[in-house]
Amino acid sequence: MTTYNADVAVIGAGTAGLAAEHHAREGGATTLLIDPAFAGTTCATVGCMPSKLLIAAADAAHGAREARDLGVMTEPRVDGRAVLERVRRLRDDFVRGVRQSIDALPEGTCLKACARFEAPGVLVLDTGDRVEARAVVIATGAGPALPEPYEAVKDHLLTNETIFELEDLPESLGVIGAGPLGLELAQAMHRLGVRVKVFDAGDRLAGLPPRASEALHGVLTKAFPIHLGCKPEPLARDAGVALTWEGGEARFDKLLVAAGRPPNLSGLDLEKAGLELDEHGTPRFDPGTMQCGDVPVFIAGDANHDRPVLHEASDEGTVAGRNAAAWPDLRRTARKVPLSIAFTRPEAAVIGAVQDGPGYVCGEADYGDQGRAKVEGRVQGLAYIYARASDGRLVGAALCAPGGEHLAHLLAWAIQCEMTASDMLDLPFYHPVLEEGLKTALRDVCRQAGLARPWQRNDDSLPGSDGGVPEG
């Protein structure tokens, strides 16, 4: 048995863990990075990148079919094997880059093992070795949930960790979960020619507030069914699986279970680290420092289940690593405006705080009547912008609109810069672009908040711009 000593031990070599190790070492600490596989980040291996590669193929197929509306006659033939081969080939390129960065770490930094706490600052590895550290960062990520009823049909199940390993596209796919992951992959598979149905026990799509969820539901259900408020029962069938629910039954070749990704915390023996846990078994932590309670343990990334997206994992790992190295001299950070995007078509996003009540106003933009969207044949979706009624300062937004991933960034930047709706209208808007569509909602906020229009600004709608009505 070997005992390893370090200033900072990081459990998990994903996005958050790699950032934590790097910044702890940059802060002068000796570090150890512990992971059972060092396979690469979730984003590169089974998340952001392979899913976007599949969506890119689906976009190409859909664009070819829809080209006839523009006078271009074509009919695509989807080669499922070629699509999935490209997904894996380019995915592996992204993963290779991550692994190269791991290989470049100082010799002796990486310990290939599973770890659990024996005491605060003391870890036991499944290799029989031990680690003693002045501070520990938990960055173990999250994994797909598998509801118990689906264990009986697991031979026909897919998750985000297995779907990209398919050799060919299935003929049919049932999707359990209408979150961002489930909807992205459901729509991509549908556009590639797979028969798809989606099921979710909740009443909203992709974590969107009600009005934006309804807008996305209206768009997607024109292509494939989405059953909300529904908990189907799986049944094994010859060469497939069936789902039954009140009033219906459908058979599928495969089921994609996208019913959430709980943190990978089991087996860590967190109670031995002196941590206070919430009702879900997750350590309580300070999001400004990433410290758990008052002990030298920090938690970052999907493991804390606070903001499970890559850019937040990177930021949280940075803060956790620097504070672990400096402990007990901690520094607090202001968090960025929350930003979550589902890469459906149209894209859906939630930005900042959706405050739809007393003291707040909401402006609406309709992308079913927007100039650039009409040009591109993408006339669908809505955007809602929320602001304080007292001064029109932007606080949040929710949208389901063409170009939504870019619109969401503009709104996130404006909210973080504490701009008012009038401030944003004072910025340059080119013509004709999708961004012009936001002007309708911004003018609506200005009107409701009683903001005066500067004398030199023209708030009339330009021909073919945002579909709004001139103020007269």
Side-chain angles (χ1 to χ4, degrees), residues 419-429 453-454 456-457 459:
M419 298 175 71
T420 67
S422 186
D423 292 335
M424 200 167 180
L425 283 169
D426 285 337
L427 298 174
F429 284 81
R453 175 177 64 84
Q456 75 275 20
R457 189 176 76 210
D459 276 351

Side-chain angles (χ1 to χ4, degrees), residues 88-261:
R88 286 190 292 274
R89 175 165 44 84
L90 294 183
R91 182 271 313 270
D92 291 347
D93 284 344
F94 292 120
V95 173
R96 191 173 299 110
V98 176
R99 290 178 176 170
Q100 287 172 350
S101 69
I102 294 173
D103 291 341
L105 292 174
E107 185 176 355
T109 299
C110 297
L111 296 178
K112 194 170 185 178
C114 293
R116 61 180 174 83
F117 282 94
E118 185 178 72
V122 180
L123 302 173
V124 177
L125 308 184
D126 62 354
T127 58
D129 297 327
R130 293 161 55 87
V131 170
E132 296 181 0
R134 189 167 52 84
V136 176
V137 177
I138 301 170
T140 46
L146 183 61
E148 186 176 347
Y150 292 88
E151 289 281 356
V153 294
K154 60 184 179 182
D155 290 344
H156 300 287
L157 295 187
L158 300 169
T159 69
N160 70 295
E161 295 184 351
T162 58
I163 191 169
F164 306 113
E165 303 307 318
L166 288 172
E167 291 298 320
D168 202 350
L169 297 171
E171 290 188 8
S172 56
L173 181 70
V175 179
I176 308 302
L181 173 66
L183 292 178
E184 287 178 11
L185 295 180
Q187 186 182 47
M189 285 291 188
H190 165 76
R191 289 183 165 188
L192 291 168
V194 178
R195 176 174 61 84
V196 171
K197 291 181 187 288
V198 177
F199 303 84
D200 195 286
D203 60 359
R204 287 187 277 169
L205 302 185
L208 295 167
R211 287 189 286 182
S213 173
E214 290 169 9
L216 183 60
H217 187 272
V219 172
L220 296 184
T221 51
K222 292 177 183 177
F224 54 88
I226 300 176
H227 299 276
L228 295 178
C230 181
K231 295 180 69 174
E233 291 292 327
L235 297 170
R237 289 285 189 264
D238 291 341
V241 63
L243 291 176
T244 63
W245 65 98
E246 186 175 350
E249 178 174 336
R251 182 202 166 280
F252 303 96
D253 293 323
K254 297 287 185 181
L255 293 181
L256 170 64
V257 179
R261 290 177 54 80

Side-chain angles (χ1 to χ4, degrees), residues 16 197 200 236 277 301 305 340 374 382 386 455:
K197 291 181 187 288
D200 195 286
L277 309 181
H305 206 57
S340 177
K374 289 179 180 178
L382 298 165
Y386 300 86
W455 69 269

Side-chain angles (χ1 to χ4, degrees), residues 202-358:
D203 60 359
R204 287 187 277 169
L205 302 185
L208 295 167
R211 287 189 286 182
S213 173
E214 290 169 9
L216 183 60
H217 187 272
V219 172
L220 296 184
T221 51
K222 292 177 183 177
F224 54 88
I226 300 176
H227 299 276
L228 295 178
C230 181
K231 295 180 69 174
E233 291 292 327
L235 297 170
R237 289 285 189 264
D238 291 341
V241 63
L243 291 176
T244 63
W245 65 98
E246 186 175 350
E249 178 174 336
R251 182 202 166 280
F252 303 96
D253 293 323
K254 297 287 185 181
L255 293 181
L256 170 64
V257 179
R261 290 177 54 80
N264 292 324
L265 298 174
S266 63
L268 288 177
D269 289 350
L270 295 175
E271 65 281 357
K272 294 182 180 178
L275 304 181
E276 180 187 357
L277 309 181
D278 66 15
E279 61 275 16
H280 302 294
T282 304
R284 299 188 186 279
F285 71 101
D286 181 344
T289 65
M290 311 313 299
Q291 184 182 19
C292 301
D294 58 1
V295 297
V297 176
F298 302 79
I299 189 166
D302 291 2
N304 65 41
H305 206 57
D306 183 32
R307 298 186 184 184
V309 289
L310 180 137
H311 70 278
E312 296 286 0
S314 179
D315 290 348
E316 290 179 2
T318 298
V319 173
R322 287 180 172 171
N323 276 335
W327 186 83
D329 184 18
L330 305 184
R331 298 175 66 179
R332 299 187 59 80
T333 183
R335 299 301 296 267
K336 295 175 182 176
V337 167
L339 171 61
S340 177
I341 299 173
F343 291 88
T344 50
R345 300 291 185 257
E347 295 97 327
V350 181
I351 308 103
V354 173
Q355 300 283 4
D356 199 5

